[in-house]
């Protein structure tokens, strides 16, 4: 009984370390799905992998053009009889927003990227900022 209890405890303790390992995606997966959306929300993601996922996806898909007027979009949606077409428009709008988020993320993370592509964690960034504040006094 003690052996099983010890084994369960060991599994629970080592589980968080296993969960933090990143899955390596293939170029096919990057081309099929917009994985870069979830990757850029992951604070431990590799900057270069997110860039690769983004460029690979858009190499195989047509990038959505400019924004739709939100008010006009609602009127347009009301005129469209097909639910399928409404879902397609909604998906395109979500991709437009994701592209804007990626472009902002790309610019904001650039100063924090290490040579290996690792992005400094928020706590590391805060420590650098505090150090700079102390040095400027």
């Amino acid at each position: 009984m003690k052996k099983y209890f010890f084994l369960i405890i060991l599994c629970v303790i080592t589980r968080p370390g296993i969960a933090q390992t990143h899955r390596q995606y293939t170029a096919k997966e990057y081309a099929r799905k917009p994985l870069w959306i979830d990757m850029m929300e992951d604070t431990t993601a590799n900057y270069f992998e997110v860039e690769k996922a983004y460029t690979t996806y858009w190499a195989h898909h047509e990038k959505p053009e400019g924004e739709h007027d939100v008010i006009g979009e609602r009127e347009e949606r009301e005129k469209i009889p097909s639910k399928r077409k409404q879902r397609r428009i909604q998906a395109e709008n979500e991709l437009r927003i994701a592209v804007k988020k990626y472009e902002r993320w790309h610019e904001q993370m650039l100063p924090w990227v290490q040579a290996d592509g690792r992005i400094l964690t928020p706590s590391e960034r805060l420590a650098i900022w505090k150090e700079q504040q102390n040095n400027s006094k």
Side-chain angles (χ1 to χ4, degrees), residues 1 5 23 27 34 37 42 52 68-69 91 98 114 124:
M1 185 67 176
F5 180 76
R23 180 173 180 250
I37 295 172
D42 182 8
K52 179 181 174 184
H68 283 287
D69 181 16
Q114 303 301 297
E124 291 172 324

Side-chain angles (χ1 to χ4, degrees), residues 5 13 27 30 36 62 105 110 124:
F5 180 76
I13 291 173
Y30 286 153
W36 50 273
E62 188 175 328
W105 175 86
L110 197 55
E124 291 172 324

Side-chain angles (χ1 to χ4, degrees), residues 43-44 109 112 118-131:
T43 58
T44 60
M109 292 301 121
W112 308 110
R118 185 180 74 85
I119 303 169
L120 294 178
T121 63
S123 59
E124 291 172 324
R125 291 182 233 161
L126 181 62
I128 290 171
W129 179 80
K130 284 181 179 178
E131 185 179 321

Side-chain angles (χ1 to χ4, degrees), residues 79-128:
K79 292 178 186 175
I80 299 172
S82 166
K83 293 284 186 187
R84 178 182 291 169
K85 199 167 186 178
Q86 288 180 11
R87 283 192 301 267
R88 187 177 52 87
I89 290 171
Q90 181 66 28
E92 286 175 5
N93 288 338
E94 288 173 5
L95 271 178
R96 277 188 193 92
I97 292 169
V99 167
K100 284 189 162 237
K101 283 182 180 180
Y102 171 79
E103 290 168 354
R104 186 173 33 245
W105 175 86
H106 188 268
E107 291 299 316
Q108 289 176 344
M109 292 301 121
L110 197 55
W112 308 110
V113 176
Q114 303 301 297
D116 63 350
R118 185 180 74 85
I119 303 169
L120 294 178
T121 63
S123 59
E124 291 172 324
R125 291 182 233 161
L126 181 62
I128 290 171

Side-chain angles (χ1 to χ4, degrees), residues 6-22:
F6 179 74
L7 184 62
I8 291 171
I9 295 297
L10 184 63
C11 289
V12 169
I13 291 173
T14 58
R15 178 102 175 129
I18 294 169
Q20 291 180 357
T21 58
H22 290 284

Side-chain angles (χ1 to χ4, degrees), residues 26-55:
T26 64
K28 277 186 177 181
E29 290 172 311
Y30 286 153
R32 270 190 236 138
K33 299 177 186 174
L35 298 171
W36 50 273
I37 295 172
D38 293 332
M39 291 171 75
M40 71 180 171
E41 292 177 6
D42 182 8
T43 58
T44 60
N46 186 295
Y47 183 82
F48 301 129
E49 278 298 309
V50 178
E51 261 188 343
K52 179 181 174 184
Y54 180 82
T55 55

